[in-house]
Amino acid sequence: MASERDEDGDGGARTPRDPMDRATGTDPATVANDPADGTDATARAAAAADAAGPRTGESVRIDSWIWAVRLIKTRSLGASACRGGHVRVNGERVKPAHAVRVGDEVRLRHEGRERVVVVKRLIRKRVGAPVAVQCYVDNSPPPPPREAVAPAGVRDRGTGRPTKRDRRDLERLRALESQGRRAAGH
Protein backbone atom coordinates (compact mmCIF):
# COMPACT_ATOMS: atom_id res chain seq x y z
CA MET A 1 0.00 0.00 0.00
CA ALA A 2 1.78 3.10 -1.24
CA SER A 3 1.07 6.57 0.10
CA GLU A 4 0.82 9.72 -1.98
CA ARG A 5 4.45 10.57 -1.26
CA ASP A 6 5.69 7.08 -2.08
CA GLU A 7 6.21 7.62 -5.80
CA ASP A 8 7.99 4.39 -6.67
CA GLY A 9 5.56 2.12 -4.83
CA ASP A 10 8.11 0.30 -2.70
CA GLY A 11 6.39 1.20 0.56
CA GLY A 12 9.01 3.75 1.57
CA ALA A 13 11.88 1.26 1.73
CA ARG A 14 15.28 2.89 1.59
CA THR A 15 17.38 2.06 -1.42
CA PRO A 16 21.12 2.53 -1.77
CA ARG A 17 21.98 5.96 -3.02
CA ASP A 18 22.89 6.28 -6.66
CA PRO A 19 26.62 7.08 -6.86
CA MET A 20 26.17 9.14 -10.01
CA ASP A 21 25.87 12.90 -9.68
CA ARG A 22 22.51 13.74 -11.21
CA ALA A 23 23.63 17.16 -12.48
CA THR A 24 26.73 16.04 -14.38
CA GLY A 25 26.08 12.33 -14.87
CA THR A 26 29.48 11.37 -13.41
CA ASP A 27 30.63 9.51 -10.35
CA PRO A 28 31.87 12.07 -7.78
CA ALA A 29 34.50 9.66 -6.41
CA THR A 30 36.22 9.34 -9.78
CA VAL A 31 36.00 13.08 -10.45
CA ALA A 32 37.68 13.85 -7.09
CA ASN A 33 40.54 11.47 -7.86
CA ASP A 34 40.93 12.43 -11.51
CA PRO A 35 44.42 13.92 -11.97
CA ALA A 36 43.34 15.55 -15.24
CA ASP A 37 41.21 18.20 -13.52
CA GLY A 38 44.05 19.30 -11.17
CA THR A 39 42.29 18.26 -7.98
CA ASP A 40 44.38 15.85 -5.99
CA ALA A 41 44.74 14.70 -2.41
CA THR A 42 47.34 17.31 -1.46
CA ALA A 43 45.18 20.17 -2.69
CA ARG A 44 42.21 18.83 -0.74
CA ALA A 45 44.44 18.40 2.31
CA ALA A 46 45.69 21.98 2.03
CA ALA A 47 42.12 23.23 1.75
CA ALA A 48 41.17 21.24 4.84
CA ALA A 49 44.10 22.73 6.77
CA ASP A 50 43.12 26.24 5.70
CA ALA A 51 39.56 25.59 6.85
CA ALA A 52 40.85 24.36 10.24
CA GLY A 53 43.10 27.40 10.67
CA PRO A 54 42.43 30.51 12.72
CA ARG A 55 40.86 33.63 11.26
CA THR A 56 43.11 36.53 10.30
CA GLY A 57 44.72 38.13 13.33
CA GLU A 58 43.90 35.26 15.70
CA SER A 59 46.55 33.20 17.44
CA VAL A 60 46.69 29.51 18.32
CA ARG A 61 47.62 28.10 21.73
CA ILE A 62 50.62 25.76 21.77
CA ASP A 63 48.74 22.98 23.58
CA SER A 64 45.97 23.17 20.99
CA TRP A 65 48.41 23.23 18.06
CA ILE A 66 50.46 20.20 19.14
CA TRP A 67 47.18 18.31 19.58
CA ALA A 68 45.77 19.50 16.22
CA VAL A 69 48.86 18.37 14.29
CA ARG A 70 48.77 14.98 16.05
CA LEU A 71 52.02 15.22 18.01
CA ILE A 72 50.01 14.38 21.17
CA LYS A 73 46.85 12.29 21.52
CA THR A 74 44.74 14.68 23.62
CA ARG A 75 44.74 18.39 24.28
CA SER A 76 44.87 17.82 28.04
CA LEU A 77 48.06 15.77 27.54
CA GLY A 78 49.43 18.72 25.58
CA ALA A 79 48.59 21.12 28.39
CA SER A 80 50.15 18.86 31.02
CA ALA A 81 53.27 18.46 28.84
CA CYS A 82 53.57 22.26 28.71
CA ARG A 83 53.10 22.58 32.47
CA GLY A 84 55.69 19.85 33.04
CA GLY A 85 58.30 21.66 30.95
CA HIS A 86 58.31 19.11 28.11
CA VAL A 87 57.39 21.68 25.44
CA ARG A 88 59.79 24.41 24.32
CA VAL A 89 59.14 27.06 21.71
CA ASN A 90 62.29 28.64 20.27
CA GLY A 91 64.29 27.18 23.17
CA GLU A 92 62.08 28.51 25.99
CA ARG A 93 59.74 26.53 28.23
CA VAL A 94 56.18 27.67 27.63
CA LYS A 95 52.81 27.54 29.32
CA PRO A 96 49.83 25.90 27.58
CA ALA A 97 48.34 29.27 26.54
CA HIS A 98 51.49 30.45 24.74
CA ALA A 99 50.67 31.76 21.26
CA VAL A 100 52.51 29.90 18.52
CA ARG A 101 53.45 31.59 15.22
CA VAL A 102 54.52 30.40 11.79
CA GLY A 103 58.28 29.78 11.79
CA ASP A 104 58.53 28.88 15.50
CA GLU A 105 60.60 25.83 16.43
CA VAL A 106 58.68 23.53 18.78
CA ARG A 107 60.53 20.87 20.80
CA LEU A 108 58.37 18.24 22.47
CA ARG A 109 59.53 15.39 24.69
CA HIS A 110 56.85 12.72 24.66
CA GLU A 111 56.93 8.96 25.26
CA GLY A 112 60.72 8.84 25.54
CA ARG A 113 61.33 10.64 22.27
CA GLU A 114 62.08 14.24 21.40
CA ARG A 115 60.22 15.75 18.47
CA VAL A 116 61.60 18.91 16.84
CA VAL A 117 59.21 20.60 14.41
CA VAL A 118 59.05 23.98 12.70
CA VAL A 119 55.57 25.48 12.35
CA LYS A 120 54.50 25.93 8.71
CA ARG A 121 50.77 26.50 9.17
CA LEU A 122 48.56 27.32 12.14
CA ILE A 123 45.49 25.19 12.71
CA ARG A 124 43.01 24.98 15.58
CA LYS A 125 41.00 21.89 14.78
CA ARG A 126 42.40 18.37 14.75
CA VAL A 127 42.81 17.15 11.19
CA GLY A 128 43.77 13.90 9.53
CA ALA A 129 47.38 12.73 9.52
CA PRO A 130 48.08 13.62 5.84
CA VAL A 131 46.86 17.17 6.46
CA ALA A 132 48.66 17.47 9.80
CA VAL A 133 52.02 16.58 8.26
CA GLN A 134 51.70 19.57 5.93
CA CYS A 135 51.44 21.95 8.90
CA TYR A 136 55.01 21.45 10.13
CA VAL A 137 58.52 20.52 9.05
CA ASP A 138 59.80 17.58 11.10
CA ASN A 139 63.46 17.99 12.09
CA SER A 140 63.33 15.25 14.74
CA PRO A 141 66.18 12.81 15.13
CA PRO A 142 65.27 9.31 13.97
CA PRO A 143 63.72 7.11 16.67
CA PRO A 144 66.09 4.64 18.32
CA PRO A 145 66.01 1.07 17.00
CA ARG A 146 63.58 -1.24 18.79
CA GLU A 147 66.24 -3.54 20.24
CA ALA A 148 68.01 -0.53 21.78
CA VAL A 149 64.78 0.42 23.58
CA ALA A 150 64.29 -3.02 25.17
CA PRO A 151 64.34 -2.72 28.96
CA ALA A 152 67.28 -4.25 30.80
CA GLY A 153 66.74 -7.01 33.31
CA VAL A 154 63.37 -8.29 32.16
CA ARG A 155 62.67 -11.84 33.24
CA ASP A 156 60.74 -14.34 31.22
CA ARG A 157 57.17 -14.86 32.32
CA GLY A 158 56.62 -17.94 34.44
CA THR A 159 60.23 -18.38 35.54
CA GLY A 160 59.25 -17.91 39.15
CA ARG A 161 60.67 -15.79 41.88
CA PRO A 162 64.26 -14.62 41.28
CA THR A 163 66.95 -16.02 43.54
CA LYS A 164 69.05 -13.71 45.67
CA ARG A 165 71.84 -13.99 43.12
CA ASP A 166 69.45 -13.15 40.21
CA ARG A 167 68.10 -10.15 42.13
CA ARG A 168 71.61 -8.79 42.77
CA ASP A 169 72.51 -9.25 39.10
CA LEU A 170 69.38 -7.35 38.06
CA GLU A 171 70.13 -4.52 40.50
CA ARG A 172 73.69 -4.29 39.23
CA LEU A 173 72.47 -4.19 35.62
CA ARG A 174 69.89 -1.49 36.38
CA ALA A 175 72.50 0.60 38.21
CA LEU A 176 74.82 0.41 35.20
CA GLU A 177 71.96 1.40 32.90
CA SER A 178 71.02 4.45 35.00
CA GLN A 179 74.69 5.56 35.14
CA GLY A 180 74.83 5.30 31.36
CA ARG A 181 71.80 7.58 31.03
CA ARG A 182 73.29 10.17 33.36
CA ALA A 183 76.53 10.17 31.40
CA ALA A 184 74.63 10.61 28.13
CA GLY A 185 72.81 13.67 29.53
CA HIS A 186 69.27 12.27 29.78
Side-chain angles (χ1 to χ4, degrees), residues 30-157:
T30 56
V31 170
N33 295 329
D34 186 14
D37 68 353
T39 308
D40 60 341
T42 55
R44 286 193 309 269
D50 287 337
R55 294 183 193 91
T56 306
E58 288 186 6
S59 60
V60 178
R61 293 170 51 116
I62 184 66
D63 62 339
S64 178
W65 187 81
I66 61 176
W67 165 74
V69 296
R70 298 178 166 268
L71 295 176
I72 281 196
K73 288 185 181 182
T74 65
R75 183 172 171 185
S76 61
L77 275 177
S80 61
C82 291
R83 283 192 297 272
H86 300 289
V87 178
R88 294 178 180 267
V89 176
N90 297 327
E92 296 181 12
R93 290 172 58 173
V94 294
K95 293 182 177 180
H98 180 81
V100 68
R101 295 177 195 78
V102 174
D104 284 350
E105 180 189 64
V106 178
R107 290 181 173 267
L108 168 71
R109 278 185 312 168
H110 182 62
E111 296 179 350
R113 183 174 176 215
E114 184 174 25
R115 300 288 304 266
V116 180
V117 297
V118 177
V119 179
K120 274 179 33 180
R121 177 179 285 145
L122 297 177
I123 59 173
R124 287 181 167 243
K125 297 178 183 175
R126 192 165 170 97
V127 292
V131 179
V133 171
Q134 295 180 352
C135 297
Y136 60 87
V137 177
D138 195 354
N139 295 330
S140 304
R146 288 218 172 231
E147 55 273 355
V149 179
V154 175
R155 292 176 51 86
D156 291 332
R157 191 172 171 89

